[in-house]
Structures are given as C-alpha cells and as structure tokens.
Amino acid sequence: MDNSLQQKLNLLEKTIGEANERVGELCKENRLLKQKIEQLQHQLADKSHQLALLQQAEDKLPELQRETLQLRTERGKLRAEVEHLLRKVTSLRAAFFQPD
C-alpha cells in the first residue's frame, strides 16, 4: 500500500472516530432532551388539571353566590324572628312577675 493511500486511510479512520464521538454526544443530548420533554409534558398535564379544577370552581361561583345571598336572607329573617320572640318572652315575664 502506498503512503498516500495509507494517509487517506488514517485520515478516514480519524474522521470516522470523530464522527462516532459526535454521534455519542448527540445521543446523550437527545436523551437529555427527551427527559426534558417528558418533564415538560408532566408539568403541562399538571397545569391542565389545575386549570380544569379552576374552571370548575369558577363555574360553581355564581351558584355559591346565590346560595350565600339566600343564607344571608334566611339569617336576617331568623334574627328578626329571634328578636321578636325575645321581646315576647320579656313581655310575658314582665306580665307574669308583675306584682298585683
């Protein structure tokens, strides 16, 4: 084998070795990118779930506001009724314990 052909062969082997090293680096980068993509997909799924829960809560908000208003109205009525009954009890006590 002549010297020129041997040099070309050596250069080709060196180039193949460098290419193999680069392929190894690219494979490692590819694995890291796949891991990052997987992490981001999990984060996206979590955020999507949180968003769905938030949307459900927002959808229930008007109903809860109506119920709150109804409960406040009932509380006001009950308070008025209790005050009325207290006045009645006070009046009855005064009449019952009134000296003749």
Side-chain angles (χ1 to χ4, degrees):
M1 188 179 312
D2 80 353
N3 200 16
S4 172
L5 190 55
Q6 185 62 44
Q7 286 177 344
K8 288 181 181 179
L9 183 58
N10 289 343
L11 182 59
L12 183 60
E13 287 176 351
K14 180 182 174 190
T15 303
I16 289 172
E18 291 171 352
N20 283 335
E21 285 181 29
R22 184 65 182 136
V23 166
E25 292 169 2
L26 291 172
C27 286
K28 183 178 177 181
E29 287 178 29
N30 192 34
R31 278 192 304 278
L32 293 174
L33 287 172
K34 284 181 179 180
Q35 289 174 350
K36 186 65 176 175
I37 288 170
E38 198 171 299
Q39 281 180 330
L40 291 172
Q41 286 173 330
H42 287 303
Q43 288 176 0
L44 178 61
D46 290 343
K47 295 295 180 188
S48 294
H49 180 68
Q50 290 174 359
L51 183 60
L53 292 175
L54 181 59
Q55 185 63 50
Q56 288 175 356
E58 286 177 349
D59 291 345
K60 290 181 181 180
L61 185 60
E63 179 184 342
L64 291 172
Q65 288 172 329
R66 281 191 299 276
E67 288 179 12
T68 300
L69 184 59
Q70 288 172 347
L71 289 172
R72 285 180 180 160
T73 302
E74 282 184 45
R75 181 181 65 193
K77 289 178 183 177
L78 288 172
R79 183 176 286 142
E81 190 175 332
V82 166
E83 289 171 359
H84 172 73
L85 291 172
L86 283 173
R87 284 191 300 273
K88 203 172 196 178
V89 166
T90 302
S91 172
L92 288 172
R93 278 186 183 158
F96 182 74
F97 292 110
Q98 210 173 40
D100 288 331

